[in-house]
Amino acid sequence: MSDTDILTQNTIPHTMRAIVLEKPNDQINLADIELPVPECSDNELLIKVEYVGLNPVDGHFAKSGFCQWQYPHILGLDAVGVVVKASKGIFPNVGERVMWHANVGGQGVLSEYTKVPNFAVSIVPQELNPAVAAVLPCAGMAALISLDKISITEGQTVFIEGGAGAVGQFAIQYAKQRGADVFATASKKNHKLVKQLGADVVFDYNDKKLCEKIRRELGPQGFDAVIDTVGGESTARNIELMRFCGKIACLNPLPCFEQDLMYRRAPNISVVSLGGAWLANSLCAQQRLSFMGNLLLEGATNGDIKAPTLTPVEFNANAVSNALNTQLAGGFTGKHVVKIGC
């Protein structure tokens, strides 16, 4: 093994525990199985996984499946772990703790070991809790991409639909850092949280007079930009609330728009696709995931960014299934994090 650095010849087993989806199903029934430890190519790192952050997208794909998956499929996209094997000259080095957002088209990270290209990871600072780092990638990166899409600047108004969700929580904080006036929706029980994160005005998304109250608060000009984490009918409503030629970043599939709305608002519509970095096979986009990871880790470490509240989940199929179903049922605030191994 002269071309490879490893911790110890005998520390890496041949098999590992993993949580898999044997086939898509509405109940999100998962299974605990043993699989071979992955084999890595030259630029890939073998990681001993420590923590996995669960996201609603994991649950959605568990129900519907994904066109590029082979089954049984290991679920999970966000993880933190320690590099245990890497080819000589490949950075990061063996022993480094790293964070990353995995390739949605490949096997996931709910396993004791996994592999990832070295250019897509970010090194976790020693002073940051690795469980916190594990919940940053998907939501935090989606928020950063959304803000870049809408090009929000100081003094502009941004409306964040779903302010208490993980993406919304990050988006509020980063929008305030950029000097924006932030408006958001949330359930009444989460208004205090959303305001503590920096939102200037919070509306109850269940309010039947929501649009009327927004216009009363904002005035006739409309929002400069919108981050729409919800999708569906709310997307058209949010475009109606924007100024002419305003910008909207959409994190869910677009509805069918009435042509009259498009003419009256002439919106600049952007689609946020974090997984697209992998699906488009764009090395530049994959490296950007690492850059965004560095930014998120820096913010969480120095206290500029507050991560959502963590809820621990055991590393077994039933516990992960229950957590994903809880997320999709709505009303859950925070992030589920799975501790892998001891």
Side-chain angles (χ1 to χ4, degrees):
M1 306 281 298
S2 60
D3 64 341
T4 303
D5 291 329
I6 60 174
L7 288 178
T8 309
Q9 287 278 0
N10 299 323
T11 56
I12 302 173
H14 296 294
T15 63
M16 64 180 184
R17 293 173 56 206
I19 296 175
V20 301
L21 179 72
E22 295 182 312
K23 63 179 181 179
N25 63 92
D26 285 337
Q27 294 74 36
I28 313 184
N29 290 323
L30 306 175
D32 298 292
I33 67 172
E34 287 275 330
L35 289 172
V37 171
E39 294 288 335
C40 297
S41 61
D42 290 342
N43 73 326
E44 290 179 323
L45 308 170
L46 182 65
I47 310 290
K48 183 173 175 57
V49 183
E50 296 179 304
Y51 293 93
V52 171
L54 300 180
N55 299 289
V57 67
D58 299 318
H60 286 302
F61 281 142
K63 286 177 175 257
S64 66
F66 188 72
C67 59
Q68 295 190 11
W69 286 1
Q70 294 181 339
Y71 300 95
H73 176 79
I74 303 172
L75 283 181
L77 294 169
D78 290 353
V80 163
V82 175
V83 180
V84 294
K85 187 176 181 181
S87 297
K88 281 189 177 296
I90 293 295
F91 181 82
N93 300 318
V94 168
E96 293 278 14
R97 175 173 285 121
V98 295
M99 175 199 82
W100 72 100
H101 179 74
N103 182 354
V104 66
Q107 291 289 3
V109 294
L110 274 167
S111 55
E112 292 179 308
Y113 293 85
T114 192
K115 62 181 181 179
V116 62
N118 70 305
F119 50 76
V121 303
S122 304
I123 295 180
V124 179
Q126 291 185 353
E127 56 269 38
L128 182 64
N129 181 346
V132 172
V135 304
L136 298 177
C138 189
M141 292 177 185
L144 289 172
I145 292 173
S146 297
L147 287 165
D148 287 345
K149 292 271 190 179
I150 61 176
S151 304
I152 200 72
T153 58
E154 186 173 358
Q156 290 189 317
T157 56
V158 59
F159 180 52
I160 298 175
E161 182 82 71
V167 177
Q169 290 189 38
F170 286 114
I172 289 169
Q173 295 175 82
Y174 280 113
K176 290 304 295 182
Q177 286 186 13
R178 299 184 188 196
D181 294 326
V182 177
F183 299 73
T185 58
S187 64
K188 282 188 176 181
K189 69 176 183 178
N190 290 321
H191 280 204
K192 181 178 179 180
L193 166 65
V194 173
K195 286 186 176 180
Q196 287 175 338
L197 292 172
D200 297 287
V201 183
V202 186
F203 302 97
D204 180 3
Y205 61 71
N206 289 315
D207 194 331
K208 294 181 178 179
K209 296 184 178 181
L210 176 62
C211 292
E212 178 183 328
K213 291 183 178 179
I214 288 175
R215 290 192 175 98
R216 188 186 308 154
E217 184 73 37
L218 182 66
Q221 68 271 24
F223 295 112
D224 294 304
V226 171
I227 296 177
D228 185 355
T229 70
V230 178
E233 294 180 359
S234 67
T235 304
R237 181 205 67 199
N238 291 337
I239 290 174
E240 190 70 69
L241 291 168
M242 290 173 9
R243 65 170 173 79
F244 182 70
C245 290
K247 299 177 180 180
I248 182 169
C250 300
L251 282 78
N252 284 297
L254 299 177
C256 292
F257 296 115
E258 293 182 2
Q259 289 303 309
D260 177 63
L261 175 64
M262 296 294 99
Y263 280 117
R264 283 188 292 106
R265 284 291 180 261
N268 293 283
I269 302 174
S270 297
V271 174
V272 177
S273 173
L274 194 57
W278 298 103
L279 300 176
N281 197 29
S282 170
L283 179 59
C284 180
Q286 292 161 21
Q287 290 175 319
R288 187 185 175 201
L289 299 181
S290 173
F291 300 151
M292 289 190 293
N294 293 336
L295 184 62
L296 290 163
L297 290 167
E298 180 183 0
T301 301
N302 63 26
D304 289 343
I305 291 296
K306 180 180 179 182
T309 301
L310 305 186
T311 298
V313 177
E314 293 183 9
F315 180 45
N316 65 70
N318 286 337
V320 171
S321 176
N322 289 338
L324 293 177
N325 277 303
T326 296
Q327 291 186 11
L328 297 186
F332 174 74
T333 302
K335 294 284 287 185
H336 287 111
V337 62
V338 184
K339 184 176 181 180
I340 310 295
C342 300

